[in-house]
Amino acid sequence: MKHLPSLLLASLLLAACSREQPAETPAPQSDLAAGKAVAEAKCASCHGLDGKGTGPDIPNLGGQKEAYLLNALNGYRTGARQHIALQQLSTELSEADVANISAYYASQKAATPAAMGGGDALAAGKVAAANCFACHGEDGNSRIKGTPSLAGQHPGYLKTAILAYKDGGSRKDAVMAAHVDKLDMVAVESIALYFAAQPAATREKPGVGDATLGEPLSGKCGGCHGQQGQSADAKTPSLAGQDARYLFTTMKQYLAGMRGHPEMKTMLAGVKDKDLEHIAAFYSVQSPAKAVIGKPTAGAQWAERCDKCHGPAAQDNSMAAPHLEGQPVGYLVKALKDYREGKRAQSAMHAMGAPLNDADIQTIAEYYASQPMR
Ligand code: HEC
Ligand code: HEC
Ligand code: HEC
Ligand code: HEC
């Protein structure tokens, strides 16, 4: 025992002062054999008798913190955690059953973690983006006139753009729609991250228009896109270093209402085609922005944040933050989404879960799933 519970400590101190008072009897030892018997009857079909989950979404219980297992079971009883089968099952258990089962599973060996790479969002993004390279370049720098570069663009903007082609609402482009049609959210977000993280190349010659004539015409654009076309806002694209033919075509699309964005249409209203070409030329030859990712891309980096509570140094504190290592990926993904969506009550984890997108969750889950319990 590393820390004496404060109540017990206080009573020991009291007892030391006044000899007449006997020391409090310690709580009865939990009964591992009784815990094993209940586990065999009611839990082993899903959690194994050794605490190893028998399905891809069933958590491992072996080697988990006893206090956490106790909390979790009580969570199902009170409804703080929602899962119909477990809520039902937990009402059939007595207080003693819950204590004995928790002690029993905590005493079992931790499951061997799944062998997998994973936990690296940029590597996953590169794999998912393979079908995009022919047009946008493997490094996100397009070499085809009229096709945009994606390198160094804000990941948030790239995600919005991909989803706009996918649902065909504000952006209608048959080629792009066909390419992004089957991507799920994890793929969309990791592709966006991958391209955003690539350094954008500088362009010497715009190919259309005259950059010197374009500069004075760009005055009212800088407020959103940045003075030199390096946008500081995650929802607004950077224009610096972009293909000029693409910039020109896009502006025409806003004007014609083919790409839906009322603000952009207003901004460009009345500008002549020649001037649009000059503006495109100006932005095209500006030094491109450097990606602003602003969060970890690797599971190991995320874990530095999470290990404040979940790491070995925190395993003795009273907060009962569970071990995450070696859990099935599917279960970790579900748990993190449950916190994010408010389906699982716990304020500390709500705060951590809120900013995570699906790709972050996948990255973190793959990382912890592949780690041995510490
Ligand atoms: C029908 C399959 C099934 C059975 C039987 C079952 N469980 Fe579970 N258990 C699950 C699933 C699935 C979850 C994840 C639920 C969730 O997402 O909250 C879970 C979650 C848990 C958790 C939370 C683990 C964590 O890491 O947060 C504990 C503790 C637990 N079960 C204990 C038990 C005990 C004790 C029994 C027997 C009395 C039992 N379970 C029986 C499927 C089962
Ligand atoms: C056959 C060539 C081609 C392929 C393959 C392709 N794209 Fe595109 N992409 C284009 C063209 C052309 C445009 C400009 C479309 C328009 O006018 O809206 C574009 C536009 C985009 C944009 C908008 C950029 C901006 O600045 O708004 C994004 C984001 C994008 N593509 C992502 C992808 C992703 C992700 C893939 C792979 C899943 C992909 N593209 C595959 C040709 C392609
Ligand atoms: C009020 C803020 C705002 C102002 C001012 C503004 N823009 Fe935009 N612009 C945006 C946003 C937001 C988008 C992304 C819209 C979308 O998703 O299609 C955008 C998109 C664009 C695009 C498409 C880029 C791409 O990668 O697809 C071009 C080109 C563009 N703007 C040029 C201009 C020019 C030129 C001006 C000045 C005349 C200007 N914008 C002024 C907010 C603004
Ligand atoms: C401030 C402390 C704290 C931090 C930081 C924290 N957690 Fe937690 N976490 C907890 C506590 C406490 C629980 C148990 C909550 C409960 O009972 O639902 C928990 C539960 C979880 C669970 C559920 C495990 C299971 O077996 O069901 C997952 C998954 C998780 N955390 C992942 C993370 C990740 C990923 C991060 C970092 C991005 C993180 N946590 C950061 C305190 C923390």
Coordinates of all heavy atoms in Angstrom, one line a residue, residues 5-83:
P5 N -5.3 5.6 3.2 CA -6.5 6.5 3.0 C -6.5 7.4 4.2 O -6.1 7.0 5.3 CB -7.6 5.5 3.1 CG -7.1 4.2 2.7 CD -5.6 4.2 3.2
S6 N -6.8 8.7 4.0 CA -6.7 9.7 5.0 C -7.5 9.4 6.3 O -7.1 9.6 7.4 CB -7.1 11.1 4.5 OG -8.3 11.0 3.8
L7 N -8.7 8.8 6.1 CA -9.6 8.4 7.2 C -8.8 7.4 8.1 O -8.8 7.6 9.4 CB -10.9 7.8 6.7 CG -12.1 8.5 7.0 CD1 -13.3 7.8 6.4 CD2 -12.3 8.8 8.5
L8 N -8.3 6.4 7.5 CA -7.6 5.4 8.3 C -6.4 6.0 9.0 O -6.1 5.8 10.2 CB -7.1 4.3 7.3 CG -6.4 3.1 7.9 CD1 -7.3 2.4 9.0 CD2 -6.0 2.1 6.8
L9 N -5.7 6.9 8.3 CA -4.5 7.5 8.8 C -4.9 8.4 10.1 O -4.3 8.3 11.1 CB -3.9 8.5 7.8 CG -2.5 9.0 8.1 CD1 -1.5 7.9 8.1 CD2 -2.1 10.0 7.0
A10 N -6.0 9.1 9.9 CA -6.5 10.0 11.0 C -6.8 9.1 12.2 O -6.5 9.4 13.4 CB -7.7 10.8 10.6
S11 N -7.5 7.9 12.0 CA -7.9 7.1 13.1 C -6.7 6.5 13.8 O -6.6 6.3 15.0 CB -8.9 6.1 12.7 OG -8.4 5.2 11.7
L12 N -5.6 6.2 13.0 CA -4.4 5.6 13.6 C -3.7 6.7 14.5 O -3.3 6.4 15.6 CB -3.5 5.2 12.5 CG -3.8 3.9 11.8 CD1 -2.8 3.6 10.6 CD2 -3.8 2.7 12.7
L13 N -3.7 7.9 14.0 CA -3.1 9.0 14.8 C -3.9 9.2 16.1 O -3.3 9.3 17.1 CB -3.1 10.3 14.0 CG -2.1 10.3 12.8 CD1 -2.3 11.6 12.0 CD2 -0.7 10.2 13.4
L14 N -5.2 9.2 16.0 CA -6.1 9.3 17.1 C -5.8 8.2 18.1 O -5.6 8.4 19.3 CB -7.5 9.2 16.7 CG -8.3 10.6 16.6 CD1 -9.7 10.3 16.1 CD2 -8.3 11.3 18.0
A15 N -5.7 7.0 17.6 CA -5.5 5.8 18.5 C -4.1 5.9 19.2 O -4.0 5.6 20.3 CB -5.5 4.5 17.6
A16 N -3.2 6.5 18.5 CA -1.9 6.6 19.1 C -1.9 7.6 20.3 O -1.2 7.5 21.2 CB -0.9 7.1 18.0
C17 N -2.8 8.6 20.2 CA -2.9 9.6 21.3 C -3.6 9.1 22.5 O -3.2 9.2 23.6 CB -3.6 10.9 20.8 SG -2.8 11.7 19.4
S18 N -4.8 8.4 22.2 CA -5.6 7.9 23.4 C -5.6 6.4 23.3 O -6.3 5.8 22.5 CB -7.0 8.5 23.3 OG -7.6 8.2 22.1
R19 N -4.9 5.8 24.2 CA -4.7 4.4 24.1 C -6.0 3.6 24.3 O -6.1 2.4 23.8 CB -3.7 4.0 25.2 CG -2.3 4.4 24.9 CD -1.5 3.3 24.2 NE -0.5 3.9 23.3 CZ 0.1 3.2 22.4 NH1 -0.2 2.0 22.2 NH2 1.0 3.8 21.6
E20 N -7.0 4.2 25.0 CA -8.2 3.4 25.3 C -8.9 3.0 24.0 O -9.6 2.0 23.9 CB -9.2 4.2 26.2 CG -8.7 4.7 27.5 CD -8.2 6.1 27.4 OE1 -7.1 6.3 26.8 OE2 -8.9 7.0 27.9
Q21 N -8.9 4.0 23.0 CA -9.7 3.7 21.8 C -9.0 2.7 20.9 O -7.8 2.9 20.6 CB -9.9 5.0 21.0 CG -11.1 5.7 21.6 CD -11.4 6.9 20.7 OE1 -10.5 7.5 20.0 NE2 -12.7 7.3 20.6
P22 N -9.6 1.6 20.6 CA -9.0 0.6 19.7 C -8.9 1.1 18.3 O -9.7 1.9 17.9 CB -9.9 -0.6 19.8 CG -11.2 -0.1 20.1 CD -11.0 1.2 20.9
A23 N -7.8 0.7 17.5 CA -7.8 1.1 16.1 C -8.9 0.6 15.4 O -9.4 -0.5 15.7 CB -6.4 0.6 15.5
E24 N -9.4 1.3 14.4 CA -10.6 0.8 13.6 C -10.3 -0.5 12.9 O -9.2 -0.6 12.4 CB -11.0 1.9 12.5 CG -12.3 2.5 12.7 CD -12.5 3.6 11.8 OE1 -12.7 3.4 10.6 OE2 -12.5 4.8 12.3
T25 N -11.3 -1.4 12.9 CA -11.0 -2.6 12.1 C -11.0 -2.2 10.6 O -11.8 -1.5 10.1 CB -12.2 -3.6 12.3 OG1 -13.4 -2.9 12.6 CG2 -11.9 -4.5 13.5
P26 N -10.0 -2.7 9.9 CA -9.9 -2.4 8.5 C -11.0 -3.1 7.7 O -11.6 -4.0 8.2 CB -8.5 -3.0 8.1 CG -8.2 -4.0 9.1 CD -8.9 -3.6 10.4
A27 N -11.4 -2.5 6.5 CA -12.4 -3.0 5.7 C -12.1 -4.5 5.4 O -11.0 -4.9 5.3 CB -12.5 -2.2 4.4
P28 N -13.2 -5.3 5.4 CA -13.0 -6.8 5.1 C -12.3 -7.0 3.8 O -12.5 -6.3 2.8 CB -14.4 -7.4 5.1 CG -15.3 -6.2 4.9 CD -14.6 -5.0 5.5
Q29 N -11.3 -7.9 3.7 CA -10.6 -8.2 2.5 C -11.6 -8.6 1.4 O -12.6 -9.3 1.7 CB -9.7 -9.4 2.7 CG -8.3 -9.1 3.2 CD -7.6 -8.0 2.3 OE1 -7.1 -7.1 2.8 NE2 -7.5 -8.3 1.0
S30 N -11.5 -8.1 0.2 CA -12.4 -8.6 -0.8 C -12.0 -10.1 -1.1 O -10.9 -10.5 -1.0 CB -12.3 -7.8 -2.1 OG -11.3 -6.9 -2.1
D31 N -13.0 -10.8 -1.5 CA -12.9 -12.2 -1.6 C -12.7 -12.6 -3.1 O -13.6 -12.6 -3.9 CB -14.2 -12.9 -1.1 CG -14.1 -14.4 -1.1 OD1 -13.3 -15.0 -1.9 OD2 -14.9 -15.0 -0.4
L32 N -11.4 -12.9 -3.5 CA -11.1 -13.1 -4.9 C -11.8 -14.4 -5.4 O -12.2 -14.4 -6.6 CB -9.6 -13.3 -5.0 CG -8.7 -12.1 -4.8 CD1 -7.2 -12.4 -5.1 CD2 -9.2 -10.9 -5.6
A33 N -11.9 -15.4 -4.6 CA -12.5 -16.6 -5.0 C -14.0 -16.4 -5.3 O -14.5 -16.8 -6.4 CB -12.4 -17.7 -4.0
A34 N -14.7 -15.6 -4.5 CA -16.1 -15.3 -4.7 C -16.2 -14.4 -6.0 O -17.1 -14.6 -6.8 CB -16.6 -14.5 -3.5
G35 N -15.2 -13.5 -6.2 CA -15.2 -12.6 -7.4 C -15.1 -13.5 -8.6 O -15.8 -13.3 -9.6
K36 N -14.2 -14.5 -8.6 CA -14.0 -15.3 -9.7 C -15.3 -16.1 -10.0 O -15.6 -16.3 -11.2 CB -12.8 -16.3 -9.4 CG -12.5 -17.2 -10.6 CD -11.3 -18.1 -10.3 CE -11.0 -18.9 -11.5 NZ -9.8 -19.8 -11.3
A37 N -16.0 -16.6 -9.0 CA -17.2 -17.4 -9.2 C -18.2 -16.5 -10.0 O -18.9 -17.0 -10.9 CB -17.7 -17.9 -7.9
V38 N -18.4 -15.3 -9.5 CA -19.4 -14.4 -10.2 C -18.9 -14.1 -11.6 O -19.7 -14.1 -12.6 CB -19.6 -13.1 -9.4 CG1 -20.7 -12.3 -10.1 CG2 -20.0 -13.4 -8.0
A39 N -17.6 -13.8 -11.8 CA -17.1 -13.5 -13.1 C -17.3 -14.7 -14.1 O -17.7 -14.5 -15.2 CB -15.6 -13.3 -13.0
E40 N -17.1 -15.9 -13.6 CA -17.3 -17.1 -14.4 C -18.8 -17.2 -14.8 O -19.1 -17.5 -16.0 CB -16.9 -18.3 -13.6 CG -16.7 -19.5 -14.5 CD -15.8 -20.6 -13.8 OE1 -15.6 -20.5 -12.6 OE2 -15.3 -21.4 -14.5
A41 N -19.7 -16.9 -13.9 CA -21.1 -17.1 -14.2 C -21.6 -16.0 -15.1 O -22.4 -16.2 -16.0 CB -21.9 -17.2 -12.9
K42 N -21.2 -14.7 -14.9 CA -21.9 -13.6 -15.5 C -21.1 -12.7 -16.4 O -21.6 -11.9 -17.2 CB -22.4 -12.7 -14.4 CG -23.4 -13.4 -13.5 CD -24.2 -12.4 -12.6 CE -25.2 -13.1 -11.9 NZ -26.4 -12.4 -11.5
C43 N -19.7 -12.9 -16.4 CA -18.9 -11.9 -17.1 C -18.0 -12.5 -18.2 O -17.7 -11.9 -19.2 CB -18.1 -11.1 -16.2 SG -18.8 -10.7 -14.6
A44 N -17.6 -13.8 -17.9 CA -16.6 -14.4 -18.7 C -16.9 -14.5 -20.2 O -16.0 -14.5 -21.0 CB -16.2 -15.8 -18.1
S45 N -18.2 -14.7 -20.5 CA -18.6 -14.8 -21.9 C -18.1 -13.6 -22.7 O -17.8 -13.8 -23.9 CB -20.1 -15.0 -22.0 OG -20.8 -13.9 -21.5
C46 N -18.1 -12.5 -22.1 CA -17.6 -11.3 -22.8 C -16.2 -10.8 -22.4 O -15.4 -10.4 -23.3 CB -18.6 -10.1 -22.6 SG -20.2 -10.4 -23.3
H47 N -15.9 -10.9 -21.1 CA -14.6 -10.4 -20.7 C -13.6 -11.4 -20.4 O -12.5 -11.1 -20.0 CB -14.8 -9.6 -19.4 CG -15.6 -8.3 -19.5 ND1 -15.1 -7.2 -20.2 CD2 -16.9 -8.0 -19.2 CE1 -16.0 -6.2 -20.2 NE2 -17.1 -6.7 -19.6
G48 N -13.9 -12.7 -20.7 CA -13.0 -13.8 -20.4 C -12.8 -14.0 -18.9 O -13.1 -13.0 -18.1
L49 N -12.4 -15.2 -18.5 CA -12.2 -15.4 -17.1 C -10.9 -14.6 -16.7 O -10.7 -14.3 -15.5 CB -12.1 -16.9 -16.8 CG -12.3 -17.2 -15.3 CD1 -13.5 -16.6 -14.7 CD2 -12.3 -18.8 -15.1
D50 N -10.0 -14.5 -17.6 CA -8.7 -13.8 -17.4 C -8.8 -12.2 -17.6 O -7.8 -11.5 -17.5 CB -7.6 -14.3 -18.2 CG -7.9 -14.2 -19.7 OD1 -9.0 -13.8 -20.1 OD2 -7.1 -14.6 -20.5
G51 N -10.0 -11.8 -17.9 CA -10.2 -10.3 -18.1 C -9.9 -9.8 -19.5 O -9.9 -8.6 -19.8
K52 N -9.6 -10.8 -20.4 CA -9.4 -10.3 -21.8 C -10.7 -10.3 -22.6 O -11.3 -11.3 -22.7 CB -8.4 -11.3 -22.5 CG -8.2 -11.2 -24.0 CD -6.8 -10.9 -24.3 CE -6.6 -10.6 -25.8 NZ -7.4 -9.4 -26.4
G53 N -11.0 -9.1 -23.1 CA -12.3 -9.0 -23.9 C -12.3 -10.0 -25.0 O -11.3 -10.2 -25.7
T54 N -13.5 -10.6 -25.3 CA -13.6 -11.6 -26.3 C -14.1 -11.1 -27.6 O -14.2 -11.8 -28.6 CB -14.6 -12.7 -25.8 OG1 -15.9 -12.0 -25.5 CG2 -14.1 -13.4 -24.6
G55 N -14.3 -9.8 -27.7 CA -14.7 -9.2 -29.0 C -13.9 -7.9 -29.2 O -13.3 -7.3 -28.3
P56 N -14.0 -7.4 -30.4 CA -13.2 -6.2 -30.8 C -13.6 -4.9 -30.0 O -12.8 -4.0 -29.9 CB -13.4 -6.0 -32.3 CG -14.7 -6.7 -32.6 CD -14.8 -7.9 -31.6
D57 N -14.8 -4.8 -29.5 CA -15.2 -3.6 -28.8 C -15.4 -3.8 -27.3 O -16.0 -3.0 -26.6 CB -16.6 -3.1 -29.4 CG -16.4 -2.7 -30.8 OD1 -15.2 -2.4 -31.2 OD2 -17.4 -2.7 -31.6
I58 N -15.0 -5.0 -26.8 CA -15.2 -5.3 -25.4 C -13.9 -5.0 -24.6 O -12.8 -5.5 -24.9 CB -15.6 -6.7 -25.2 CG1 -16.9 -7.0 -26.0 CG2 -15.8 -7.0 -23.7 CD1 -17.4 -8.4 -25.9
P59 N -14.0 -4.1 -23.6 CA -12.8 -3.7 -22.9 C -12.1 -4.9 -22.1 O -12.8 -5.8 -21.7 CB -13.2 -2.6 -21.9 CG -14.7 -2.9 -21.7 CD -15.2 -3.4 -23.0
N60 N -10.8 -4.8 -22.0 CA -10.0 -5.7 -21.2 C -10.2 -5.2 -19.7 O -10.1 -4.0 -19.5 CB -8.6 -5.8 -21.6 CG -8.4 -6.2 -23.0 OD1 -9.1 -7.1 -23.5 ND2 -7.4 -5.7 -23.7
L61 N -10.3 -6.1 -18.8 CA -10.4 -5.8 -17.4 C -9.2 -6.2 -16.6 O -8.9 -5.7 -15.5 CB -11.7 -6.4 -16.8 CG -13.0 -6.1 -17.5 CD1 -14.2 -6.8 -16.7 CD2 -13.3 -4.6 -17.6
G62 N -8.4 -7.2 -17.1 CA -7.3 -7.7 -16.4 C -6.2 -6.7 -16.1 O -5.8 -6.0 -17.1
G63 N -5.8 -6.6 -14.9 CA -4.8 -5.6 -14.5 C -5.2 -4.2 -14.4 O -4.5 -3.3 -14.1
Q64 N -6.5 -4.0 -14.6 CA -7.1 -2.6 -14.5 C -7.1 -2.2 -13.0 O -7.1 -3.0 -12.2 CB -8.5 -2.5 -15.1 CG -9.1 -1.2 -15.2 CD -8.3 -0.2 -16.0 OE1 -7.3 0.4 -15.4 NE2 -8.6 0.0 -17.3
K65 N -7.1 -0.9 -12.8 CA -7.1 -0.4 -11.4 C -8.4 -0.8 -10.8 O -9.5 -0.6 -11.3 CB -7.1 1.2 -11.4 CG -5.8 1.8 -11.3 CD -5.9 3.3 -11.4 CE -5.6 3.9 -10.0 NZ -5.6 5.4 -10.1
E66 N -8.3 -1.4 -9.6 CA -9.5 -1.9 -8.8 C -10.5 -0.7 -8.6 O -11.7 -0.9 -8.8 CB -9.0 -2.5 -7.5 CG -10.1 -3.1 -6.7 CD -9.6 -3.8 -5.5 OE1 -8.3 -4.1 -5.4 OE2 -10.4 -4.0 -4.5
A67 N -10.0 0.4 -8.2 CA -10.9 1.5 -7.8 C -11.6 2.0 -9.1 O -12.8 2.4 -9.0 CB -10.1 2.7 -7.3
Y68 N -11.0 1.9 -10.2 CA -11.6 2.3 -11.5 C -12.7 1.3 -11.9 O -13.8 1.7 -12.3 CB -10.6 2.4 -12.6 CG -11.3 2.7 -13.9 CD1 -12.0 3.9 -14.2 CD2 -11.5 1.6 -14.9 CE1 -12.7 4.1 -15.4 CE2 -12.2 1.9 -16.1 CZ -12.8 3.1 -16.3 OH -13.5 3.3 -17.4
L69 N -12.4 0.0 -11.7 CA -13.4 -1.0 -12.1 C -14.7 -0.8 -11.2 O -15.8 -0.9 -11.7 CB -12.9 -2.4 -11.9 CG -11.7 -2.8 -12.9 CD1 -11.2 -4.2 -12.5 CD2 -12.3 -2.8 -14.3
L70 N -14.4 -0.6 -9.9 CA -15.5 -0.3 -9.0 C -16.4 0.9 -9.4 O -17.6 0.8 -9.5 CB -14.9 0.0 -7.6 CG -15.7 -0.4 -6.4 CD1 -15.7 -1.9 -6.2 CD2 -15.0 0.3 -5.2
N71 N -15.7 2.0 -9.7 CA -16.4 3.2 -10.2 C -17.2 2.9 -11.5 O -18.3 3.3 -11.6 CB -15.3 4.2 -10.6 CG -15.0 5.1 -9.5 OD1 -15.5 5.0 -8.4 ND2 -14.0 6.0 -9.7
A72 N -16.6 2.1 -12.4 CA -17.2 1.9 -13.7 C -18.5 1.1 -13.5 O -19.6 1.4 -14.0 CB -16.3 1.1 -14.6
L73 N -18.4 0.0 -12.6 CA -19.6 -0.8 -12.4 C -20.7 0.1 -11.7 O -21.9 0.0 -12.0 CB -19.2 -2.0 -11.5 CG -18.5 -3.1 -12.3 CD1 -18.0 -4.2 -11.4 CD2 -19.4 -3.7 -13.4
N74 N -20.3 0.9 -10.8 CA -21.3 1.8 -10.1 C -21.8 2.8 -11.1 O -23.0 3.1 -11.0 CB -20.6 2.4 -8.9 CG -20.5 1.5 -7.7 OD1 -21.3 0.6 -7.6 ND2 -19.5 1.6 -6.9
G75 N -21.0 3.2 -12.0 CA -21.4 4.1 -13.1 C -22.6 3.5 -13.9 O -23.6 4.2 -14.2
Y76 N -22.5 2.2 -14.2 CA -23.6 1.6 -15.0 C -24.8 1.5 -14.1 O -26.0 1.7 -14.5 CB -23.2 0.2 -15.4 CG -22.1 0.2 -16.5 CD1 -20.9 -0.4 -16.3 CD2 -22.3 0.8 -17.7 CE1 -19.9 -0.4 -17.2 CE2 -21.3 0.8 -18.7 CZ -20.1 0.2 -18.5 OH -19.2 0.2 -19.4
R77 N -24.6 1.2 -12.8 CA -25.8 1.1 -11.9 C -26.5 2.4 -11.8 O -27.7 2.5 -11.7 CB -25.3 0.7 -10.5 CG -24.8 -0.7 -10.4 CD -24.1 -0.9 -9.0 NE -24.6 -2.0 -8.3 CZ -24.3 -2.2 -7.1 NH1 -23.6 -1.3 -6.3 NH2 -24.7 -3.3 -6.5
T78 N -25.8 3.5 -11.7 CA -26.4 4.8 -11.5 C -26.9 5.5 -12.8 O -27.5 6.5 -12.8 CB -25.5 5.8 -10.8 OG1 -24.3 6.0 -11.6 CG2 -25.0 5.3 -9.4
G79 N -26.4 4.9 -13.9 CA -26.8 5.5 -15.2 C -25.8 6.6 -15.7 O -26.0 7.2 -16.7
A80 N -24.7 6.9 -14.9 CA -23.7 7.8 -15.3 C -23.1 7.2 -16.6 O -22.6 8.0 -17.4 CB -22.7 8.0 -14.2
R81 N -23.0 5.9 -16.7 CA -22.5 5.3 -17.9 C -23.7 4.5 -18.5 O -24.3 3.7 -17.8 CB -21.4 4.3 -17.6 CG -20.1 5.1 -17.6 CD -18.9 4.1 -17.3 NE -18.6 3.4 -18.6 CZ -17.4 2.7 -18.7 NH1 -16.5 2.8 -17.7 NH2 -17.1 2.1 -19.8
Q82 N -23.9 4.7 -19.8 CA -25.0 4.1 -20.5 C -24.6 2.9 -21.3 O -23.8 3.1 -22.3 CB -25.8 5.2 -21.3 CG -26.4 6.2 -20.4 CD -26.7 7.5 -21.2 OE1 -26.9 7.5 -22.4 NE2 -26.7 8.6 -20.5
H83 N -25.1 1.8 -21.0 CA -25.0 0.6 -21.8 C -26.0 -0.4 -21.3 O -25.9 -0.9 -20.2 CB -23.5 0.0 -21.7 CG -23.2 -1.0 -22.7 ND1 -23.6 -2.3 -22.5 CD2 -22.6 -0.9 -23.9 CE1 -23.2 -3.0 -23.6 NE2 -22.6 -2.2 -24.4

